Amino acid sequence: MTSVIGAGAFGTALAISLSRSGAEVTLWARDVAQVAAMATTRENAARLPGMAFPDALRVSDDAGSLPDGPVLLAVPMQKLRVALDDLPDFGPRPLVACCKGIELSSGLSPTQVIAEMRPDAPAAILTGPSFAQDIARGLPTALTLACADEGLSADLQSTLTTQNIRVYRTTDVPGAEIGGAVKNVMAIACGAAIGAGLGDSARAALMTRGYAEMQRMALALGAQADTLAGLSGFGDLALTCTSDLSRNYRFGLSIGTGEGFDPSVTVEGAATARALKARARALSLDMPITDAVVDLIDGTLGVRDAMTRLLSRPLKEE
């Protein structure tokens, strides 16, 4: 039995996919009215309209009654600590982060926040190129499950693999987490470039040099280079930087076009960019695209000026 904390689009999609494969799944939400509506309509009309809940999926607003088994934490990165602070003690059950980014206040990754808040619970992260709508519709998706405990990683891999989600496993947790964090920042950069009319060649350059920044940060934190070439690195970067379904990419588009962006939409890359800039400074790492994204978000630099700044950097070998 598996529980999913957070009835946003991604948490709901995971719950649908897992339960569609026959597993008993509980989807938890804090909002009593939302839970009542989902129980009645058998769908999450607010986040994934038209996606019917399988019979094996139950909904609940009582976190204390969740069944034994892994707990998937499908909450935004910047709300993960608050969620863990409010939720009851789940004991030795594995806690699997389903968010991407770096906590702005502490500079910690998802599993590091879990380890700090719940030191007795095994921590893992599920990450990789995926959109909630694709998962809920049953479209083929491949994800990475990163966990330092190889035995637990294999167990979770089996539990979380569904009819349409193929899960690969790794023990390189830092690599998987940095890949998922940095790709959101690069998606903002790519969206801004396209929104400003700088073209697909500029986007390709940003993706490639953004991948170099991803590797630079990950290797400095002890990650393995091969991990960044996988789903949680290159794969997620390719998807997020090229699709309008990406909230980070759409946020970048709004910067490039000068249009407003819905403040209610969670953009993980905005806070993560600032956190990564601080981490890079502490590690004496050069991450010029990340720095430019922070300036774009703050409004201290325009898109074309940012590109000019990047293009005028000293020449060097690739």
Side-chain angles (χ1 to χ4, degrees), residues 216-239:
R216 202 172 298 145
M217 173 65 75
L219 294 176
L221 297 176
Q224 302 167 18
D226 288 350
T227 304
L228 280 303
L231 292 165
S232 60
F234 174 77
D236 216 354
L237 180 72
L239 179 68

Side-chain angles (χ1 to χ4, degrees), residues 6-282:
F10 194 70
T12 302
L14 286 175
I16 289 173
S17 183
L18 288 165
S19 57
R20 188 183 286 138
S21 297
E24 294 183 26
V25 180
T26 299
L27 176 63
W28 178 89
R30 185 186 309 277
D31 190 324
V32 176
Q34 181 189 16
V35 170
M38 290 191 297
T40 301
T41 63
R42 299 300 295 166
E43 69 171 284
N44 188 343
R47 297 301 182 93
L48 281 176
M51 301 296 177
F53 287 0
D55 293 339
L57 175 56
R58 64 180 289 265
V59 294
S60 174
D61 57 24
D62 182 6
S65 66
L66 296 179
D68 291 338
V71 177
L72 276 56
L73 301 168
V75 298
M77 178 64 226
Q78 304 307 321
K79 296 182 179 179
L80 178 60
R81 181 180 298 274
V82 174
L84 288 171
D85 192 44
D86 290 344
L87 291 166
D89 185 359
F90 295 122
R93 280 178 279 184
L95 300 181
V96 183
C98 300
C99 52
K100 303 170 184 178
I102 302 295
E103 188 177 46
L104 182 57
S105 61
S106 67
L108 298 180
S109 69
T111 60
Q112 288 173 332
V113 172
I114 293 173
E116 186 175 281
M117 298 295 293
R118 302 294 175 89
D120 296 329
I125 184 167
L126 185 66
T127 184
S130 54
F131 289 138
Q133 292 181 7
D134 291 347
I135 291 175
R137 290 171 58 196
L139 299 178
T141 305
L143 299 174
T144 295
L145 187 284
C147 179
D149 184 324
E150 191 166 0
L152 176 59
S153 180
D155 290 341
L156 289 171
Q157 178 186 36
S158 177
T159 298
L160 300 178
T161 293
T162 72
Q163 294 172 351
N164 68 301
I165 299 177
R166 178 175 175 82
V167 177
Y168 291 83
R169 71 177 186 270
T170 179
T171 56
D172 183 11
V173 178
E177 291 185 309
I178 287 298
V182 176
K183 64 93 183 179
N184 280 336
V185 179
M186 299 309 150
I188 295 174
C190 288
I194 295 299
L198 300 184
D200 288 328
S201 295
R203 170 163 52 187
L206 287 169
M207 289 175 64
T208 306
R209 297 313 303 166
Y211 182 69
E213 292 191 18
M214 181 188 292
Q215 288 185 309
R216 202 172 298 145
M217 173 65 75
L219 294 176
L221 297 176
Q224 302 167 18
D226 288 350
T227 304
L228 280 303
L231 292 165
S232 60
F234 174 77
D236 216 354
L237 180 72
L239 179 68
T240 312
C241 292
T242 59
S243 174
D244 288 343
L245 290 178
S246 165
R247 290 169 295 183
N248 292 280
Y249 179 74
R250 294 201 310 273
F251 177 63
L253 280 175
S254 73
I255 294 176
T257 60
E259 299 175 356
F261 190 79
D262 185 352
S264 68
V265 175
T266 300
V267 180
E268 296 278 29
T272 295
R274 294 187 172 92
L276 284 172
K277 180 177 180 177
R279 176 69 69 86
R281 184 182 296 114

